[in-house]
Each structure stands twice: as C-alpha cells, then as structure tokens.
C-alpha cells in the first residue's frame, strides 16, 4: 500500500519553491515525499529515491527556468516513467503530473513526451488556483481540466505508448538520410533477432561505414543525435519500454556508471550482469553464440537486453 500521496521530483535549485508547495499539501492533509525530509545522512540516495517513487500514488515532475537537475533528469525522470509503465501493465494506477513553475509556458521539447499528461502551471510563487488544482489531481477527484496537446510521435528517447497501433505514424527522422522503415516493421512484428541485426546495419551506415566494420569510440560518442533518438524511440515503443538505449542508460546509471563517455569497468560489469550480457562473469560473444540460444521474448529476456552491444 502506498505510503505517500505524491513524489516531488525537482531540480535542487527549485527546492525553496517545492518546499513551500509541500507545506501547502501537508496543510491540506496530503503526505508528500520530499528528499530533504526522507533522505538522511548515510542513506543510499538512489535506493531511497526509487523506493519513494514506488511507495507513492503520484509522481509530480517540476519544470522551471533552471532546467532539469542532473539527478532529476537521469534518475528521477526515467524511474517515474518506468514505474508508470510497470503499474499500467499490472492495471494499477500511478498518476504522473508535470508541474510548470513560474517562467515556463510549456513542457520543453527535450521532454515533450510528458505532454501526454495534463500539466499544472504556476504563474506565480503563491498561485492558489494552481495549488488547488494540484491537490485535486493528487487526490484523484473529478475536476474540469483543459485539454492539452497529446504528442503521439515525438522525436525523443522515451515514448509512453503501451499498445502501439498499426495506423499510427512513427517519427523516422534521420540526419543521414537513412530509411528506418524496415527496422520499424521488424520491431512491430516482434522479430527481435532481425531487428537487432538491422539496428547494427543502420547504425554502421550512419557513421559512413559498411556492414562488417566496427565502431570506434569517437564514432559512438559523436553518433547523429536525431538517428540515435529515432532508433531508441522504435525499440522502446515496440517493446513496451523493455528494450532500448534509454532503458540501458537508466540501468547503467543505476549501477554506478556515469554518462560522460568514460569507461568504468565495475559499472560496466554490473550492467552486463543486469541485462544478461554476462553469464557467471563471462561476457556473451555474439560472434560465436547463436541467436537461437537466446530467448528474445520481450517479457522473458532481461530488461535492457536489447539492442546488443
């Protein structure tokens, strides 16, 4: 049973405003999760944040002119989204409420997939109308809401589409003129093996090489962003959030890795164990292990198992 009514995910620079909002929520009988109150000295921050989200009925994601904090973007955002997906698959409720603090008019393009949920906008620090709206939304009471635009196919790392429909159009944008239609069709058909091989083919093509060539570190670090997002968008969407680069990034960060382009051996080994790329401390070699030896079910294979390295 949930212990908290709402998890308050925010940039540390916005803490004074968030603390004031939390105070108002408490005055109205709600129990918010706030890092300042729930994380004590000596606690493992990642573990406490993850538990806090899973113990909450609602995830409130604050957006301000200060942008997203590093922890807010790399940990809280992905954990909130993935918990929403997990609860949806279990037919259980978990509400996500984007909150725009003063100075922000809309959900930024970088995270515009949050616009699938109606957001609450604060026009000033003590915006009583917005506060009342937030309280009603957390409690789940029937309220009149303004219809916000639903972004069905954004060019972003994560897409919250639990059951893709055949008549919906994917964003297949490419900086290099690459056609991602075949990759999309293979993923839609749940043909994981062929989709994995097609992913290598389009990626090696994007860096100007031919099939059979290897990637260099520089090529991966400077991989075309639009193409990377398109590939990830397709993997995440058609696996219901089970596979994809953004899923792998979340797992890598959770085991101590850093998104700075450097190599961290221990984190990489833990990541390999988590996604099933290492078995009893031995790395799987895709040069000699047949695809028939691997279970490519999106529910049976470890989360983040695909695309392969």
């Amino acid at each position: 049973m949930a212990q908290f009514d709402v998890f308050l995910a925010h940039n540390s620079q916005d803490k004074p405003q968030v603390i004031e909002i939390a105070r108002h929520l408490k005055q109205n009988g709600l129990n918010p999760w706030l890092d300042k109150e729930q994380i004590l000295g000596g606690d493992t921050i990642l573990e406490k944040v993850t538990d806090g989200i899973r113990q909450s009925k609602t995830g409130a994601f604050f957006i301000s002119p200060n942008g997203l904090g590093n922890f807010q973007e790399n940990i809280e955002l992905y954990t909130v989204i993935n918990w929403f997906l997990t609860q949806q698959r279990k037919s259980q409720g978990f509400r996500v409420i984007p909150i725009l603090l003063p100075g922000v008019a809309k959900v930024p393009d970088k995270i515009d997939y949050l616009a699938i949920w109606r957001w609450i906008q604060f026009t000033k620090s003590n915006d009583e109308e917005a506060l009342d709206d937030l309280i009603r939304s957390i409690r789940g009471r029937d309220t009149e809401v303004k219809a916000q635009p639903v972004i069905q196919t954004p060019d972003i790392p994560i897409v919250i589409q639990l059951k893709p429909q055949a008549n919906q159009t994917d964003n297949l944008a490419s900086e290099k003129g690459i056609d991602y239609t075949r990759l999309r069709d293979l993923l839609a058909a749940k043909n994981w093996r062929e989709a994995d091989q097609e992913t290598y083919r389009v990626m090696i093509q994007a860096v100007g090489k031919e099939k059979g060539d290897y990637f260099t570190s520089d090529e991966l670090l400077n991989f075309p962003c639009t193409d990377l997002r398109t590939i990830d968008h397709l993997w995440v969407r058609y696996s219901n959030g089970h596979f994809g680069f953004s899923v792998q990034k979340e797992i890598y960060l959770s085991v101590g890795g850093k998104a700075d382009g450097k190599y961290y051996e221990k984190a990489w080994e833990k990541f390999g164990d988590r996604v099933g790329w290492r078995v009893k401390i031995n790395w799987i070699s895709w040069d000699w292990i047949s695809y028939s030896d691997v279970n490519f079910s999106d529910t049976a294979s470890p989360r983040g198992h695909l695309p392969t390295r």
Side-chain angles (χ1 to χ4, degrees):
M1 184 174 180
Q3 299 179 25
F4 301 94
D5 293 297
V6 58
F7 180 94
L8 306 179
H10 60 284
N11 187 330
S12 59
Q13 297 182 56
D14 303 318
K15 195 171 295 294
Q17 294 183 74
V18 176
I19 289 176
E20 182 60 26
I21 290 174
R23 185 184 66 80
H24 190 89
L25 296 178
K26 292 176 182 178
Q27 289 178 345
N28 284 270
L30 294 174
N31 184 23
W33 190 100
L34 186 64
D35 56 358
K36 187 177 186 298
E37 300 173 349
Q38 300 300 327
I39 301 179
L40 305 177
D43 285 343
T44 303
I45 298 176
L46 178 60
E47 181 180 352
K48 296 296 289 186
V49 167
T50 302
D51 288 345
I53 291 171
R54 293 179 176 180
Q55 293 169 3
S56 299
K57 299 176 183 177
T58 306
F61 198 83
F62 290 85
I63 305 168
S64 80
N66 293 320
L68 302 181
N70 183 55
F71 197 87
Q72 181 191 19
E73 178 178 7
N74 291 319
I75 300 297
E76 292 179 335
L77 175 58
Y78 292 121
T79 306
V80 165
I81 296 298
N82 285 316
W83 187 240
F84 168 81
L85 289 169
T86 299
Q87 295 303 87
Q88 285 290 307
R89 286 195 289 268
K90 296 178 180 178
S91 298
Q92 297 178 7
F94 177 77
R95 299 171 66 82
V96 178
I97 307 176
I99 299 176
L100 311 185
L101 292 175
V104 179
K106 68 181 186 69
V107 175
D109 292 340
K110 182 179 181 180
I111 52 172
D112 60 1
Y113 49 91
L114 290 180
I116 66 170
W117 293 290
R118 186 181 77 92
W119 63 74
I120 295 176
Q121 186 167 21
F122 282 74
T123 58
K124 54 185 178 180
S125 297
N126 188 22
D127 191 329
E128 293 185 4
E129 183 176 348
L131 285 168
D132 290 342
D133 191 4
L134 177 58
I135 292 169
R136 289 195 301 271
S137 298
I138 293 172
R139 288 175 174 167
R141 293 178 177 176
D142 293 331
T143 58
E144 290 188 11
V145 298
K146 298 179 180 179
Q148 298 292 351
V150 176
I151 309 300
Q152 292 184 342
T153 57
D155 177 22
I156 50 169
I158 297 179
V159 177
I160 311 306
Q161 294 284 354
L162 299 178
K163 297 181 179 179
Q165 302 298 318
N167 62 350
Q168 291 179 328
T169 303
D170 287 293
N171 188 333
L172 304 181
S174 171
E175 297 177 29
K176 302 296 182 179
I178 296 174
D179 184 0
Y180 289 105
T181 303
R182 184 168 185 269
L183 177 60
R184 188 266 317 276
D185 293 344
L186 289 170
L187 288 168
K190 306 295 185 184
N191 190 338
W192 305 124
R193 178 178 63 180
E194 296 297 330
D196 196 34
Q197 295 172 346
E198 177 68 5
T199 299
Y200 161 75
R201 189 189 71 79
V202 294
M203 288 187 68
I204 206 71
Q205 182 182 353
V207 298
K209 290 186 172 181
E210 297 181 354
K211 184 177 179 180
D213 291 336
Y214 291 93
F215 295 100
T216 66
S217 297
D218 286 342
E219 287 167 345
L220 291 176
L221 287 171
N222 296 284
F223 195 86
C225 291
T226 299
D227 292 76
L228 186 64
R229 288 173 175 173
T230 295
I231 295 168
D232 184 62
H233 158 84
L234 293 172
W235 273 100
V236 173
R237 179 182 178 192
Y238 288 103
S239 69
N240 290 338
H242 199 73
F243 298 141
F245 295 130
S246 57
V247 176
Q248 292 170 344
K249 175 185 177 183
E250 178 209 339
I251 295 171
Y252 180 67
L253 292 172
S254 74
V255 296
K258 298 180 182 179
D260 58 6
K262 298 179 181 179
Y263 175 63
Y264 298 92
E265 183 177 4
K266 293 300 181 182
W268 181 242
E269 290 175 351
K270 290 179 181 178
F271 171 81
D273 293 337
R274 184 78 66 83
V275 302
W277 291 1
R278 288 209 326 163
V279 179
K280 296 181 179 179
I281 76 171
N282 294 314
W283 289 93
I284 290 176
S285 172
W286 297 99
D287 294 329
W288 60 269
I289 289 187
S290 169
Y291 276 100
S292 63
D293 296 332
V294 182
N295 189 331
F296 281 89
S297 165
D298 59 341
T299 56
S301 295
R303 183 169 175 269
H305 186 66
L306 300 176
T308 56
R309 59 194 174 95

